[in-house]
Amino acid sequence: MDFLLNGDETGRTTILLAHGAGAAMDTLWMNAFAEGLEAQGFRVARFEFSYMSARRSGGSKRPPAKADTYAPEFLAAIDALGCDGPLIIGGKSMGGRVASLIAQDLYDAGRIKGMLCLGFPFHPPKKPGHRRGENLAEITCPILICQGTRDPFGAREEVQDYDLSNAVTLYWLEDGDHDLKPRKRVTGKTLEDHLLEIAEATKVWTKSCC
């Protein structure tokens, strides 16, 4: 399995990230966020699910399968990644959702310290009745979810009424969309500002779980 590594230094807390449903692990977005985490002292590893890797060699560009299909691949990535310090798993959107399906067992086994999700897909756009992530109501693994307040997959006015475990920390990015990007004319901020803010918030959050 191939990994992209940032801050690959011994003993650092490692954050293993999976990509979202439609974009690879080396997008400008993922690169910028990984660099932001590296600047905060983290070791960051990124990997791709099989369907995304296949696209690089001319494979089908059909949408991915259901999230639970890729849980074994996330577990395989954890096994393949050498890690001599604390480990946090997570990802962007679908990548974070896949991580949430395996996080509790890994946490109970002492293999991870927590989970980070960047834009959790709580429901499909315009279909708030099709809830996802119900397991977050009872999970005890520490989770940081960074969510845009106007995310069509789960805006603040929707998510604030969800039944979520006390182990789940929601960090809201004002006016952020599903990519956490704000409208500069509304907030005066850019996507880069938000990604740096999230990296800093992740550093603070990990002090309580690592």
Side-chain angles (χ1 to χ4, degrees):
M1 181 172 290
D2 295 326
F3 294 97
L4 285 180
L5 296 170
N6 292 75
D8 191 18
E9 297 180 20
T10 302
R12 285 186 167 194
T13 295
T14 296
I15 300 180
L16 176 61
L17 295 174
H19 54 83
M25 66 179 175
D26 57 354
T27 60
L28 293 176
W29 196 103
M30 292 290 281
N31 288 341
F33 185 60
E35 290 165 4
L37 289 175
E38 178 185 5
Q40 293 296 320
F42 293 106
R43 174 180 182 245
V44 185
R46 288 172 278 166
F47 76 99
E48 288 182 342
F49 297 120
S50 56
Y51 78 91
M52 187 61 71
S53 296
R55 290 183 183 182
R56 293 184 182 274
S57 56
S60 171
K61 293 188 177 182
R62 289 179 298 178
K66 292 183 178 180
D68 56 4
T69 303
Y70 304 106
E73 295 185 18
F74 209 127
L75 290 169
I78 294 171
D79 290 339
L81 179 67
C83 183
D84 59 4
L87 175 63
I88 292 169
I89 64 171
K92 185 177 188 297
S93 190
M94 189 193 81
R97 186 174 174 222
V98 176
S100 75
L101 300 176
I102 60 175
Q104 187 66 58
D105 286 346
L106 292 168
Y107 181 71
D108 290 343
R111 298 187 64 189
I112 66 170
K113 294 294 186 180
M115 196 200 102
L116 169 66
C117 184
L118 312 162
F120 194 91
F122 284 102
H123 61 73
K126 299 182 181 180
K127 296 181 179 180
H130 291 70
R131 272 289 312 278
R132 299 164 174 163
E134 290 88 347
N135 61 314
L136 300 181
E138 299 180 356
I139 201 163
T140 61
C141 173
I143 297 177
L144 175 62
I145 297 177
C146 299
Q147 195 85 355
T149 60
R150 60 185 179 94
D151 189 335
F153 290 79
R156 179 160 54 190
E157 61 267 23
E158 299 165 340
V159 177
Q160 65 187 3
D161 294 327
Y162 291 168
D163 182 16
L164 299 175
S165 162
N166 290 333
V168 177
T169 299
L170 282 167
Y171 187 89
W172 289 104
L173 283 303
E174 193 61 40
D175 198 56
D177 60 14
H178 192 53
D179 286 332
L180 309 175
K181 182 178 181 179
R183 293 167 292 187
K184 191 170 183 179
R185 61 180 173 80
V186 174
T187 64
K189 293 184 177 182
T190 65
L191 172 61
E192 290 72 22
D193 293 328
H194 272 184
L195 294 182
L196 289 174
E197 182 180 339
I198 296 167
E200 292 169 356
T202 301
K203 180 69 173 181
V204 173
W205 170 75
T206 55
K207 291 178 180 178
S208 66
C209 62
C210 289

